[in-house]
Amino acid sequence: QYLSIEPLVRSVEETPDPIPTTITGTIPSWINGSFLRNGPGKFEFGKDRYTHWFDGMAMMHRFHICEGNVTYSSRFLRSDSYISNSEKNRIVVSEFGTLAMPDPCKNIFARFFSRFQVPKATDNASVNFVKYKGDYYVSTETNYMRRVDPQSLETKEKVDWSQYIAVNSATAHPHYDREGATYNMGNSYGKSGFFYNVIRVPPPGEKATEDSADLDGAKVICSIRAAEPRKPSYFHSFVMSENYIVFIEQPIKLDLLKFMLYRIQGKSFHKVMTWDPQYETIFHLVDRHTGKQSEVKYRAAPMFTLHQINAFEEDGFLVMDMCCGDDGEVIGDFTLENLRRGPGEEMDKVNFYNSLCRNLPRRYVLPLTVDEQTPLDQNLVTLHKYTATAKKTKPREVYMTHEELHDDELLQYGGLEFPQINYNQYNGRPYRYFYSCGFGHVFADSLLKMDVHTKELKVWRYPGLYPSEPVFVASPKATEEDDGVVLSVIVTPREEKSTFLLVLDAKTFTELGRAEVPVTIPFGTHGVFNEMG
């Protein structure tokens, strides 16, 4: 039973003024705030089309929930990329997979030389909503973010990380501690090599009254040297527990020489990333409070991970849960050409479906106290409830194997991605549940709740309905980890304009209510719940 997912990657119009939704069932009256989501929403300008799904222009969506009612609004991010592309009615700024062609009006010499300029990074921030010092920003993986108003979705100023600290990029998946500080990771590159940097932005202080971006006090607390200076690893997120940060150096490599040359040859960015399984995966352990890096290198078989689930410390071990795949070739496959194929076209025959989202949850257990006395070649994971292993192979080196964080039952729902937990209460601490999307398709076609103690699943799945990343909101009187609701935006490519916000009871994983929107919403990336927003 195949279906064209082309509507999920079709450009849409924005809805700047909030419109009412049609409620079925009940939306609990205690939910008070805005569910904000981000993702690509426009895939062409004039005759130019983007080649890669990640390249679409960022569109912000807001479901405002108050006393059982829901309104919907959306706006394109007015990034420099969006504005210059709109004014010229063609693609002027290079994105991840699309190379902007030189201006056709310029003469042949100017055109030849324009190939040699370093590409300007894009500020098309379509990946996530993030928070620094109490302000909301939309973010992607370049050095630029955009501050936004979480109420009106209005675009504010562009913020360049490199103006504040010595990094030239930052991820769209920061972590937050209990005090309100934000942690992130970014790259830097100089004469002394390539570094992965851990960044800390302090909690909001006595906030000045003026309405402006504030990253003052941002610091690099640790710089981790890349194992291969000319082939640093791509990373999308990192691990954080109460006392540690772990950076995972994975074998998706960025070829820096190719990166410099790509402009001259007119190739797009994603071609400079290669899956290179001759390299192992290296886990770098950093003390979150002192920024001190452990001298022990923890290694594992080649794998790649985009999203962390959670991590916590237990009896001298750091337990890390994440969604992983064993084959990183897929990152270039999200081309719009692949996604736009009709039902039954080549797409089913290619292994595109099968390879694309077969990421599965796994658990690594890292021993925190490894020294000269630690014996070689024996399993150091003495906590009997875990089957993951860790062996010291030589001084200051430990090799880890993982435990599958699922049973065979999960496989009938495909891969598992976009994991979310009760973050405010349980991030960095022992926990029991996570919520995620099941990928029986190129795009998610189920919502899953996993009990990590028993590996049992609860599932929400209906043919033709495609859910987004589930976001947990705790109820005000919560006493247990899963007291609350799970919010997800469901897109319905079969029917025009019947997208809805789904509200599930997090405990039972059954539907409480839905709010239907008379507009078409494209498939998105990540979202957050902004209380009282």
Side-chain angles (χ1 to χ4, degrees):
Q1 128 81 9
Y2 284 108
L3 147 83
S4 170
I5 52 171
E6 195 270 329
L8 301 188
V9 293
R10 205 183 280 157
S11 297
V12 296
E13 298 298 312
E14 57 184 1
T15 311
D17 298 316
I19 55 170
T21 60
T22 310
I23 310 275
T24 325
T26 46
I27 310 287
S29 57
W30 57 260
I31 307 176
N32 183 14
S34 300
F35 185 31
L36 303 172
R37 286 192 45 76
N38 198 347
K42 183 171 172 63
F43 299 97
E44 65 286 307
F45 284 94
K47 296 195 178 75
D48 295 356
R49 298 176 78 117
Y50 288 113
T51 54
H52 204 280
W53 178 65
F54 300 142
D55 291 349
M57 292 288 103
M59 188 176 208
M60 301 173 285
H61 306 267
R62 175 178 184 254
F63 287 88
H64 184 62
I65 310 168
C66 183
E67 298 187 346
N69 284 314
V70 181
T71 58
Y72 169 78
S73 53
S74 66
R75 288 178 96 151
F76 283 111
L77 178 70
R78 298 304 194 265
S79 60
D80 293 355
S81 301
Y82 179 89
I83 289 165
S84 49
N85 292 342
S86 300
E87 283 169 356
K88 300 241 167 63
N89 200 29
R90 60 187 187 81
I91 294 174
V92 188
V93 182
S94 295
E95 304 290 340
F96 176 79
T98 306
L99 188 81
M101 288 323 285
D103 192 321
C105 314
K106 291 217 179 103
N107 69 37
I108 191 154
F109 291 106
R111 203 181 309 178
F112 177 77
F113 285 110
S114 73
R115 286 264 169 122
F116 287 88
Q117 294 154 4
V118 173
K120 283 220 303 278
T122 178
D123 64 337
N124 174 37
S126 63
V127 182
N128 208 350
F129 275 89
V130 298
K131 222 173 172 177
Y132 293 99
K133 297 180 104 175
D135 282 336
Y136 276 97
Y137 295 81
V138 284
S139 169
T140 175
E141 303 190 309
T142 66
N143 55 318
Y144 293 122
M145 299 188 293
R146 276 280 178 172
R147 199 164 66 91
V148 292
D149 180 322
Q151 256 72 2
S152 68
L153 301 182
E154 190 192 338
T155 302
K156 306 275 199 176
E157 70 270 46
K158 178 161 88 167
V159 179
D160 179 353
W161 274 104
S162 60
Q163 299 296 304
Y164 288 88
I165 42 176
V167 297
N168 52 27
S169 66
T171 81
H173 290 289
H175 273 294
Y176 308 98
D177 69 14
R178 304 274 182 290
E179 290 67 55
T182 306
Y183 294 79
N184 207 336
M185 295 212 46
N187 297 332
S188 64
Y189 186 62
K191 289 190 181 69
S192 51
F194 191 102
F195 294 91
Y196 312 108
N197 303 294
V198 181
I199 306 163
R200 179 181 185 272
V201 180
E206 306 310 307
K207 188 137 178 126
T209 45
E210 79 263 21
D211 182 26
S212 66
D214 173 19
L215 291 180
D216 288 343
K219 277 199 178 67
V220 169
I221 61 168
C222 178
S223 288
I224 298 162
R225 183 183 287 278
E228 289 276 312
R230 286 191 175 171
K231 284 200 169 176
S233 293
Y234 168 77
F235 57 97
H236 189 80
S237 64
F238 60 97
V239 177
M240 188 169 98
S241 69
E242 291 203 295
N243 297 296
Y244 296 95
I245 280 175
V246 175
F247 171 67
I248 300 170
E249 198 170 8
Q250 55 189 2
I252 295 182
K253 296 294 188 180
L254 248 69
D255 189 322
L256 287 182
L257 293 177
K258 250 198 210 159
F259 187 69
M260 309 297 178
L261 286 168
Y262 107 94
R263 213 16 212 230
I264 302 166
Q265 300 164 345
K267 286 185 178 159
S268 67
F269 280 118
H270 76 86
K271 305 247 177 21
V272 301
M273 289 209 288
T274 49
W275 170 242
D276 216 340
Q278 71 191 48
Y279 297 103
E280 288 181 319
T281 306
I282 307 172
F283 294 74
H284 300 271
L285 178 69
V286 176
D287 182 307
R288 178 162 83 79
H289 309 294
T290 65
K292 193 169 162 358
Q293 196 181 335
S294 164
E295 290 181 354
V296 181
K297 286 287 163 272
Y298 298 88
R299 297 178 176 273
M303 62 88 166
F304 77 101
T305 177
L306 294 175
H307 298 118
Q308 306 305 312
I309 304 170
N310 200 2
F312 57 91
E313 296 147 45
E314 183 179 5
D315 300 337
F317 295 91
L318 177 58
V319 179
M320 302 177 288
D321 298 345
M322 60 196 80
C323 295
C324 302
D326 290 317
D327 180 4
E329 294 284 1
V330 301
I331 197 100
D333 288 344
F334 265 98
T335 60
L336 287 164
E337 179 194 9
N338 273 343
L339 298 178
R340 283 206 167 112
R341 292 182 179 154
E345 279 187 62
E346 284 312 288
M347 189 151 173
D348 316 337
K349 302 192 190 82
V350 217
N351 284 331
F352 180 58
Y353 275 159
N354 307 340
S355 64
L356 199 61
C357 266
R358 283 290 175 262
N359 288 3
L360 293 169
R362 56 175 68 162
R363 170 170 279 175
Y364 290 91
V365 180
L366 179 154
L368 291 164
T369 46
V370 174
D371 54 25
E372 285 74 59
Q373 274 69 59
T374 309
L376 287 169
D377 297 326
Q378 69 182 51
N379 184 12
L380 304 174
V381 182
T382 47
L383 300 173
H384 295 303
K385 57 181 160 181
Y386 301 128
T387 58
T389 71
K391 287 179 180 167
K392 182 171 152 185
T393 48
K394 51 182 169 209
R396 294 202 287 280
E397 210 159 283
V398 171
Y399 189 84
M400 304 192 294
T401 68
H402 64 272
E403 166 182 343
E404 305 291 357
L405 202 55
H406 62 88
D407 283 338
D408 288 351
E409 184 195 2
L410 174 60
L411 304 177
Q412 63 187 316
Y413 300 106
L416 180 155
E417 258 298 347
F418 294 129
Q420 284 283 343
I421 58 170
N422 177 342
Y423 190 96
N424 294 348
Q425 297 299 319
Y426 288 86
N427 188 56
R429 297 178 171 171
Y431 76 115
R432 182 159 184 177
Y433 303 108
F434 70 83
Y435 311 93
S436 64
C437 288
F439 281 82
H441 200 282
V442 178
F443 286 118
D445 60 358
S446 63
L447 290 168
L448 306 171
K449 175 187 181 182
M450 173 71 80
D451 178 332
V452 297
H453 292 181
T454 64
K455 299 183 183 175
E456 287 173 312
L457 281 179
K458 285 187 162 60
V459 182
W460 184 92
R461 176 166 75 161
Y462 291 91
L465 301 184
Y466 292 81
S468 72
E469 171 187 69
V471 169
F472 175 85
V473 182
S475 74
K477 300 195 175 69
T479 54
E480 290 178 301
E481 181 182 343
D482 57 353
D483 280 350
V485 295
V486 166
L487 306 177
S488 174
V489 176
I490 312 295
V491 288
T492 53
R494 285 230 169 89
E495 299 159 54
E496 281 282 296
K497 307 194 165 170
S498 59
T499 311
F500 60 93
L501 170 69
L502 173 70
V503 182
L504 295 177
D505 177 325
K507 234 187 206 352
T508 60
F509 223 52
T510 53
E511 180 172 341
L512 294 170
R514 55 176 73 177
E516 217 166 297
V517 195
V519 297
T520 297
I521 299 182
F523 195 76
T525 45
H526 297 286
V528 294
F529 184 74
N530 178 26
E531 283 187 43
M532 306 293 295

